[in-house]
Amino acid sequence: MSLSAWFLTHESAIRLSCFAGTLATMAALEILAPRRISTIAKGTRWLNNITLMVLYTVLVRLMFPVAALGIASFAATRGWGLLNAIDLPISLAIVIAIIVMDFVVWLQHVVFHAVPGLWRLHRVHHADLDYDVTTGIRFHPLEILLSMFIKGGAIALLGAPMLAVLLFEILLNATSLFNHANILLPTAIDRGLRLLVVTPDMHRIHHSINVQESNCNFGFNSPWWDRLFGTYQAQPQRDHQTMTIGITEYRKPRDVVLLVGLLRLPFRNTPKKAAISGH
């Protein structure tokens, strides 16, 4: 079996193992060292957030049977994309691909805050009234499907190696779970980690009800895009324990906790403004 075929065959098992391990680790740390006191019953939130994830995972598999790794394989066999047209060491091509894909995800996140129609989808993620590891998997299925189109296009244009795509998918999932986790990190550790990865204290500011704060710290993985483009904020105006999480329009649990409410949220009759222009 070729290396490409092996990756395609075992992709789901590899990604699921990494995802489950990270989720379990973050959930345990949330119990041992929570940063904030929960305001909504965790069982109800977790059930609905995880059910939402299962729903969009099934939809992605139905609509994109080969997913991102398959697109990378398809592009490689046909010589599509910049990196397939340039003779580079595979290690360098992998590093370049991961950096570029991370920037694409960061830029997509900014755009989803800036365009009203896209913000309607993305606000499902931001409307969570609490902030914990399951917030990192809470996205509307239509946003996930649209993100898959964007990601697939970026992979094909870039010609990203299959190993780079697999590593990036694992990295993105793991860092999203980590930086949404309700865990308390010592200040010195948080400060050091921010040089390498987005930390929970850094990204939590992005989920503030304060519009100024929710329009900063867009990164999921690398912290440097926000620093480079001037969207980095080190600390919230209020402290992390008392800052309000969510968006102003929806504060009732039935609208932002239950699955039916989450699926309906993009279609609710609310002001047609993007987050960046004000809620």
Side-chain angles (χ1 to χ4, degrees), residues 82-195:
L82 179 63
L83 294 178
N84 287 320
I86 303 175
D87 186 18
L88 292 175
I90 185 61
S91 57
L92 180 57
I94 288 172
V95 171
I96 292 173
I98 289 175
I99 292 173
V100 172
M101 286 189 291
D102 190 63
F103 175 70
V104 169
V105 169
W106 178 87
L107 183 60
Q108 175 191 317
H109 193 180
V110 174
V111 171
F112 270 64
H113 275 254
V115 178
L118 298 178
W119 169 244
R120 281 179 170 268
L121 295 175
H122 187 58
R123 67 185 180 186
V124 171
H125 178 64
H126 277 266
D128 205 344
L129 299 178
D130 268 331
Y131 186 91
D132 65 21
V133 64
T134 65
T135 308
I137 58 174
R138 174 189 159 117
F139 296 93
H140 195 277
L142 292 179
E143 178 178 0
I144 293 297
L145 291 175
L146 182 55
S147 297
M148 189 62 213
F149 276 109
I150 296 170
K151 185 190 302 180
I155 290 169
L157 289 172
L158 181 61
M162 290 183 66
L163 182 56
V165 174
L166 179 60
L167 291 174
F168 180 71
E169 293 279 81
I170 292 171
L171 185 64
L172 186 63
N173 287 340
T175 53
S176 182
L177 292 172
F178 167 67
N179 59 49
H180 285 93
N182 180 32
I183 58 176
L184 176 63
L185 293 177
T187 302
I189 293 178
D190 178 84
R191 188 184 305 119
L193 281 177
R194 286 191 189 204
L195 299 177

Side-chain angles (χ1 to χ4, degrees), residues 131 179 190 194 197-207 213 216-219 221-227 231-235 240:
Y131 186 91
N179 59 49
D190 178 84
R194 286 191 189 204
V197 68
V198 176
T199 66
D201 273 12
M202 178 179 169
H203 193 69
R204 187 180 298 107
I205 299 168
H206 179 69
H207 282 256
E213 294 180 337
C216 68
N217 298 1
F218 290 95
N221 180 28
S222 170
W224 289 101
W225 304 121
D226 287 300
R227 295 175 186 267
T231 52
Y232 174 72
Q233 182 171 325
Q235 296 297 333
H240 283 280

Side-chain angles (χ1 to χ4, degrees), residues 5 21 50-51 58 60 68-69 91 97 124 156 183 203 211 234 272 275:
I50 291 174
T51 302
V58 171
V60 166
L69 211 61
S91 57
V124 171
I183 58 176
H203 193 69
V211 177
K272 295 180 180 180

Side-chain angles (χ1 to χ4, degrees), residues 18-92:
C18 294
F19 172 82
T22 306
L23 178 63
T25 301
M26 293 303 109
L29 290 175
E30 288 185 344
I31 295 172
L32 296 172
R35 182 63 153 131
R36 292 166 50 92
I37 298 173
S38 298
T39 60
I40 304 293
K42 180 171 285 191
T44 303
R45 281 186 58 255
W46 275 51
L47 176 62
N48 286 276
N49 286 353
I50 291 174
T51 302
L52 189 65
M53 178 200 68
V54 171
L55 177 60
Y56 66 64
T57 300
V58 171
L59 286 175
V60 166
R61 284 297 176 179
L62 289 174
M63 295 189 67
F64 300 92
V66 296
L69 211 61
I71 295 172
S73 176
F74 188 82
T77 58
R78 286 157 179 77
W80 292 357
L82 179 63
L83 294 178
N84 287 320
I86 303 175
D87 186 18
L88 292 175
I90 185 61
S91 57
L92 180 57

